[in-house]
Structures are given as structure tokens and as C-alpha cells.
Amino acid sequence: MADTAEFIKDLCTPAFVVDLDVAKRNAAVMLDRFQKLGVQLRPHMKTHKTLECADIMTGGSRRCIVVSTLAEASFYADHGYDDVLYAYPLPRDKVQRCAELCERMALFHVLLDNGPALQELKRRPLKQAREISETTGVELYGIYAHCGNTYGCKGREQIEAIAQETTTNLLQFMERYAVPVHSPLGTNFPNFCNSSIGSTPSCSHPVPDMAMLSEVHPGNYVFYDVQQSLIGSCRLEDVAVRVLTRVIGHYPHRNQLLVDSGWAALSQDGGGCLPTGYAVIQGHPELKLTSMTQEHGRVEPVSGPLDFGQFPLGSMFSLIPYHACATAMMYPVYSVHSQGKIVSTWKPVRGW
Amino acid sequence: MADTAEFIKDLCTPAFVVDLDVAKRNAAVMLDRFQKLGVQLRPHMKTHKTLECADIMTGGSRRCIVVSTLAEASFYADHGYDDVLYAYPLPRDKVQRCAELCERMALFHVLLDNGPALQELKRRPLKQAREISETTGVELYGIYAHCGNTYGCKGREQIEAIAQETTTNLLQFMERYAVPVHSPLGTNFPNFCNSSIGSTPSCSHPVPDMAMLSEVHPGNYVFYDVQQSLIGSCRLEDVAVRVLTRVIGHYPHRNQLLVDSGWAALSQDGGGCLPTGYAVIQGHPELKLTSMTQEHGRVEPVSGPLDFGQFPLGSMFSLIPYHACATAMMYPVYSVHSQGKIVSTWKPVRGW
């Protein structure tokens, strides 16, 4: 289904489009921010799952990334990527595939999480570390936390409070671990040096203590989305992606427009919690995407009667997705543009 | 990411599996039902979008199907399918592609819906038909209704009431159209003979008057799902598909299991409305899939404490999806089995 359009306005819809300039700016800001803090940025690929965007996020180094599936890990290994962290509690059915990936790359990291999470580690800070240390052939390399609770924040102050709390917990654990009260644990792990927190909100507003971490691993920031703008991670104009959709029906008796993006084209994640429904309709704060079927969306005014003359059949809307990760996942191809001119198409890897 | 497992129990998870015997039975029941009624079954492909399942639903004829996207239409045309109906209000940006498909197949049908829908037609039954008739090069071929309002039903009686109402409306329209009060419309359309209603609920419990229709176009029935069982279209044992998932974490302090299916593997459509959350966990009515992130699901007991010993790390759950169409869409490949032994893999077509 190759689309030969030269400009995004001519694409068949629905279409997922990436503003290359905005994505590059988002990536550069994050790279620069953590370079200045002296912290390694290990960007997460789960939002886009493409080679091209990975190159942008790694500044072309093709090293030091996070993936959410082994399909991603294999894909990036195929393209010469190295130092890949599989950010998932190591699943038993995939140990063999992980072992194969270890052979293919200089560094392939896995996470262990057999029950106790950070809460548990805070209570018994050395137990899991000791268990790992006592397992032949396994070295504890670091500790990794997501701080996904930043997604409940509203505004910079709340984000910074959680970023601070998570960083403090991690650093305290590192400190207790590095200088253990009960020897001989301390000398067993010369490589144990890595501390990493993630989440786009916390990495968009890092607290000074984060400079003491070795790594951060945000992912969504290269695209951002409405959710991130509401959390306070970014401005709405930092969102690099859109779903383009066209008006395909007028229903005056329902005061409703029909558009060609249903939940096959726009994720329902977020559940239509916005005042404007399942997305923000760019330039039309007066409209709401009220509901969707597989291939149809219903657009109504937030209040009052609809002026159908303003939206003739075939006219295009640009939807800013609530959750870019979830919506990108619906597309086999992204159309990438600079100021409306299509410059590339990116094909994400799918599956597990 | 070819999975070489011989049995579904050995698949890497999450995995979307189709019980071939159940799917074939569902397809055979529907084919037989409408053959007996003397009505052409034109199955909808949108649920699975694969060649193999299309062959099952058409009884091998490779004719007379419905598609929801032009990607599907092209895919089926590539594989020798003919007589394809594109069940979508003809979108202006795709007219050229539709024209090309018309050249490739003996019959390629499009739908026109410029504003007035069935409600409107009931009030002004001849207006849209006249407009179509007055357009050179366009012939009105039939009338197509979905009766999606059956999705609000509970039980056979309610389904039959809507099936009857829709059929009556369609037949009345046909009658008024075939013998118009205001000539000369009647003689202009010798081909106008087609009346079709769809929806898996109405076609699972057809009313006798549906024998007077020329076609029906259900789609979901080949898989069915929890939603259809709640509507009353099928029994839960008629559902042919599962999402397989494994336990990857124990969180006693949260009374919670972590499983490896998030919203990338199981659609959020339905919004967790079930007493058991986002799916039915086969054999475990006491468990609930309470929430999901991209790659994780959280399972808790419906009430009381969780017996973790019953669900060791690595143990597998079989999830019956709430909406099979929405969940199938998340997978680049389906594993097809007969009594647990993998017999085939099906690859769906994606995009628009």
C-alpha cells in the first residue's frame, strides 16, 4: 500500500505522520540535557520501534538503547545496534532467545524481578542482590526503575517531587549496596555501577540529584503527545506526531461528522478522557471526537450546532493523539515530513 | 520472529491463537444457515484480514466478500478473490484506487453515503436513489445496512427484534423503490436488486423475513468473542480465539500477578467492563485482568487473597478476548491450532 503522495495533505487517510523537525528537536534537547548532567541517555525504542528514529535518538551512535520486546532487540541487532537493554522482567519462555542475542551483541542486558520490586528492596535492600551474587554465571550490573508514577502528575513541581523521591531511593540503595554492612558482598561485584531511572516526565524535568545516576531511559519524548502535555512534560507544540483523517460523512440529524479514523487508526488508550474526546483536533478546540468504531470516528461540537459548511466532505483534520506510543503501534508505516513535505517513510517492527 | 513451537503451550507469549476446528465450525454453521434461507452470505473480512480464514468463510469459492479497507481489497484481489464490496462511504481520496480495483476484478462494489443514512431514507425514501440515478456512469446496485445497534442487545429476543426492524425497513424501501409512485425512476435500474444487512448478532439469530433479503454480511462470527457471548450471539465455547500469556511476576504486597500481555497484545476496547476486567481468564473466574500497560497486565483476585503457589512464574493463562476484531488487529501473525497442536500460521494484511 505504498502511498506516493509528495505532501502530507495528499496522503490517503488515516495516516500517521511524524514532523521530522520537531522529533529531531525533542531528541536533541534530551541528548543535550543529559550530556550536560554527565548522565548517559539510554533512549527507549518502544514508542516508535523504527531504525530511523533510533538513529535520531542515539545521535547516530547506534549504541545504548532500551527495548520492550525481543522483536525490537533482534531488529536493532540486525542493524548493527549494540548495548541493548531488554527492559522486561526476564520471561522464562524467552531465555534461549536472550542467550542468542547475548552472542550477537557485545552488551545485551536483561532485568531480573522475581517478586520483590523497589518497595521490597527498600525493606530488604540486600536480599535480592545477594541471591543474584550467589548465582554462578550471573553478575548484578545495576538497578533500573521506571518511576511510571510520574504519569499521575500535573505540572513540573509534582514531576520533580517524584523524580527526586525515585532518585533518592535509588541512590540510597546504591550506597547501602556499595558499602555493605555485612561483607563479603561488597567485593563480589566490580561491575555493579549502574543506576537508571526512566519516564519521559522525570527526564523532561530532571532534578539536580539525577546527575548522580549513571543512566536515564525515557522514550516517549521523541514524539511526545497530549498526555505528556497535560502531565507537564512538554508543550502541545512539542508533539511531533499527528493522525490525519478526512470527513467522510455529514449527519445533520445527529449534529455529527463522520471521519475515517476509528480505533484501528487511533488508540483508545486514555478512553476519551479529554474535553475533546479521544484526541485534540488541531485548530478546532470547538470539536470533539466523541466515539469510534473500527474504521469510523464521530465528531461533534463540544456544544451548540455544527456548521457543516465549514467541514465539506473530504476536508482533513489533524488529530494530536492522547498517547503516541499506543497510536503509533496501530500503523505499519509512518509518513515523515518536514513542513508538510514528505521526506521519508519509517517502518516499525511488530510482534514480540 | 518465526516461532518454531509445535504446540501452543510452547509458544512465546503473548500469542494470538486460533482454534481451527472452532473457526471452521462457526463458518460452516453460518454458510449452512443462509444457504437454507436462500440468502447469499457475503462474509466480512475485517475481523481477521487473512487469506486462509477468507477461504474458510467463503467455503473456498473466493467470491463474494466484504472488506473494510482498500489494503484488504488489494490483498484479496492479489489472491484471486472476486466480487468484493468495500463497505465504506466512498472516500474522495481513494476514488482512484477504487477505480483501479474495478479494473482488476469482475465485481468491485462501493457504497455511497452522502449525508442521509437509513433514517433519512425512511423519511425521503427516493431522494438519494434519484440523485444516484441522475449521475451518468453510476448505477444503483443495492442497499446495505449494518444494524450495528444489535450490539446493544442482551439475548436472542432483543437481537431478533432489531433484525426484524432492520429487515422490514429495508424491504419497505425496496418495495417503494421498485414500484415508485413517481415514475420514471423505476425503469432506470434493472440491476437494483440487492439488499443486505450485516452484524454477527442478527445473522446468528436470523428472523424468517431475512430470507427475503438478497445478502447478509456478518464478519466477527468466525472468531466470536466475549462481547458476542454477552449479546447472545454465541456461547462462550464458540469463541475460536485466545491470547496466551504467562505469569512474569509475583507482587504479594499488592496481591497481584504480573502477566506478559499489555494493551499491545490485548485491545482495550470494551474498557475493562467485564467483572473479570479486560478479558475472561479461561478456567479462572476468580481472577480479574484489572489493568494494562504497553507490555504488562495486572491480574488480581476478584475478591480475597491470591494463592500465589497456584500460579508459579512462567505458568500460562488463556485469555478470551472481549472484542476479537480489535485484539486480532494487534498481531502480525496468528498461530492456528487443532487441539493444541499448531497446524498453520496466518498473516493478516494491515494498513488502509
Side-chain angles (χ1 to χ4, degrees), chain B residues 14-70:
Chain B
F16 186 79
V17 299
V18 181
D19 186 322
L20 184 62
D21 305 318
V22 177
K24 278 185 172 173
R25 187 181 71 207
N26 292 341
V29 166
M30 195 63 85
L31 273 164
D32 182 59
R33 177 180 293 141
F34 284 95
Q35 194 170 29
K36 282 181 180 146
L37 279 179
V39 175
Q40 175 68 50
L41 176 64
R42 181 186 286 278
H44 206 311
M45 302 294 116
K46 80 180 186 75
T47 300
H48 57 87
K49 307 192 184 203
T50 66
L51 182 63
E52 295 85 350
C53 198
D55 285 353
I56 292 171
M57 292 172 91
T58 58
S61 74
R62 298 204 166 185
R63 284 186 63 79
C64 220
I65 59 170
V66 183
V67 298
S68 65
T69 66
L70 290 183

Side-chain angles (χ1 to χ4, degrees), chain B residues 127-155:
Chain B
K127 186 173 176 291
Q128 192 165 31
R130 186 185 297 118
E131 279 175 12
I132 291 172
S133 80
E134 287 166 358
T135 306
T136 312
V138 179
E139 268 174 25
L140 181 60
Y141 181 75
I143 182 162
Y144 180 103
H146 171 46
C147 64
N149 48 344
T150 46
Y151 280 77
C153 291
K154 266 227 171 302

Side-chain angles (χ1 to χ4, degrees), chain A residues 4 22 59 126 130 163 189 209 214 231 252 257 267 271 292 319:
Chain A
T4 55
V22 177
L126 296 181
R130 186 185 296 120
F189 319 107
D209 275 2
S214 25
I231 290 168
L257 297 171
S267 167
M292 296 186 285
L319 308 178

Side-chain angles (χ1 to χ4, degrees), chain A residues 2 42 75 93 95 219 230 272 304 327 333:
Chain A
R42 181 186 286 278
F75 173 76
D93 57 316
V95 173
L230 293 174
T327 287
V333 65

Side-chain angles (χ1 to χ4, degrees), chain A residues 8-9 11-17 242-246 260-261 316-319 331:
Chain A
I8 58 170
K9 70 177 174 49
L11 283 169
C12 279
T13 46
F16 186 80
V17 299
R242 298 288 186 276
V243 169
L244 302 183
T245 189
R246 283 193 177 86
D260 65 2
S261 56
M316 191 184 267
F317 287 125
S318 187
L319 308 178
Y331 288 81

Side-chain angles (χ1 to χ4, degrees), chain A residues 29-67:
Chain A
V29 166
M30 195 63 86
L31 274 164
D32 182 60
R33 177 181 292 144
F34 284 96
Q35 194 171 31
K36 281 183 180 147
L37 280 179
V39 175
Q40 174 68 50
L41 176 65
R42 181 186 286 278
H44 206 310
M45 302 294 116
K46 81 179 186 75
T47 301
H48 57 86
K49 307 192 185 204
T50 67
L51 182 63
E52 296 85 349
C53 197
D55 285 352
I56 292 171
M57 292 172 92
T58 60
S61 74
R62 297 204 166 184
R63 285 186 63 82
C64 220
I65 59 169
V66 183
V67 298

Side-chain angles (χ1 to χ4, degrees), chain A residues 1 11-14 46 49 68-71 74 88-89 91-94 97 113-117 119-120 123 246 248-251 253 258-261 263-265 267-269 294-296 313-314 323 325-326 329-332 350-352, chain B residues 1 11-14 46 49 68-71 74 88-89 91-94 97 113-117 119-120 123 246 248-251 253 258-261 263-265 267-269 294-296 313-314 323 325-326 329-332 350-352:
Chain A
M1 298 318 310
L11 283 169
C12 279
T13 46
K46 81 179 186 75
K49 307 192 185 204
S68 66
T69 66
L70 290 184
S74 294
Y88 209 71
R92 296 189 173 189
D93 57 316
K94 300 186 185 73
R97 288 168 64 197
D113 172 16
N114 281 345
Q119 257 338 84
E120 289 290 295
R123 276 193 282 157
R246 283 193 177 86
I248 55 166
H250 283 179
Y251 297 96
H253 60 291
L258 196 70
V259 296
D260 65 2
S261 56
W263 45 250
S267 167
Q268 297 174 95
D269 191 49
Q294 186 161 341
E295 298 291 351
H296 308 85
L313 293 171
H323 191 177
C325 311
M329 219 189 56
M330 322 300 275
Y331 288 81
R350 295 282 172 246
W352 287 271
Chain B
M1 298 314 312
L11 283 169
C12 278
T13 46
K46 80 180 186 75
K49 307 192 184 203
S68 65
T69 66
L70 290 183
S74 294
Y88 211 72
R92 297 191 173 188
D93 56 317
K94 300 186 185 72
R97 287 168 63 197
D113 172 16
N114 282 344
Q119 259 333 86
E120 291 289 297
R123 276 193 281 158
R246 283 194 178 85
I248 53 166
H250 283 179
Y251 297 96
H253 62 290
L258 197 69
V259 296
D260 65 2
S261 56
W263 45 251
S267 167
Q268 297 174 95
D269 192 49
Q294 186 161 342
E295 297 291 351
H296 307 84
L313 292 171
H323 192 178
C325 311
M329 219 188 58
M330 321 301 275
Y331 288 81
R350 297 282 171 246
W352 287 271

